[in-house]
Amino acid sequence: MDDEFNGTSLELVGVFHWQERISFFQSPCLYYPRGDSDLPAPGVAADADLGGAVDCDLGRCPLTNVMPIRRLGLLRKEVPDPPLVMAWIDVPSLRVIRSDQVYGSSPTAGKVRYTSYSRDFSAEITVDSHGIVIDYPELALRSDFNSN
């Protein structure tokens, strides 16, 4: 795995009782609706100030935490808590909004501190040696594929 993650494009397909497909970071944003939904239109919100956003954060998806964890080197060294701007993608609407977040090193090995000021949420996330989430409180717990 590379230590650097810089998101430049993302394509999402949401399939529920309706389907949404959207490609972000293209100009113009491509949107392919199918079915009925009362959700807000996907894409970048008109009032979203994404200036300074380097990473995206897909709601309800612990995998996108890997990008800032690896980019900041949180598992290799003590890192001050830098303020980060994320392009946060709401699920299931696929609406993109600004999210002000902080990731920081934890004194406990295999843990990373996370705070989202936009959603008033903080957690200590357990990760493996690659920065991939093992336990994200209130969101996800990775299965142990090696157990019998």
Side-chain angles (χ1 to χ4, degrees), residues 2 42 46 95 113 130:
D2 291 335
R95 189 77 167 152
R113 289 178 295 107
H130 299 289

Side-chain angles (χ1 to χ4, degrees), residues 3-121:
D3 284 344
E4 303 270 335
F5 284 90
N6 291 309
T8 56
S9 66
L10 174 68
E11 181 170 283
L12 296 174
V13 177
V15 180
F16 304 91
H17 62 279
W18 46 269
Q19 182 175 353
E20 304 257 3
R21 181 183 183 115
I22 187 164
S23 295
F24 299 102
F25 309 114
Q26 295 182 8
S27 184
C29 182
L30 304 175
Y31 171 47
Y32 312 96
R34 197 167 91 194
D36 293 326
S37 163
D38 61 352
L39 297 170
V44 179
D47 61 347
D49 175 9
L50 300 178
V54 175
D55 302 314
C56 67
D57 188 355
L58 178 60
R60 306 181 201 282
C61 177
L63 188 58
T64 53
N65 297 96
V66 173
M67 292 180 283
I69 290 170
R70 299 285 305 264
R71 185 170 49 77
L72 296 170
L74 295 178
L75 300 178
R76 293 190 316 264
K77 59 188 176 205
E78 182 68 28
V79 176
D81 298 351
L84 303 172
V85 175
M86 300 287 179
W88 193 75
I89 304 160
D90 178 60
V91 172
S93 74
L94 305 181
R95 189 77 167 152
V96 181
I97 61 173
R98 176 190 177 104
S99 178
D100 295 296
Q101 301 180 3
V102 171
Y103 283 81
S105 302
S106 172
T108 306
K111 303 259 186 186
V112 172
R113 289 178 295 107
Y114 166 77
T115 299
S116 169
Y117 293 112
S118 303
R119 293 187 322 279
D120 193 28
F121 177 78

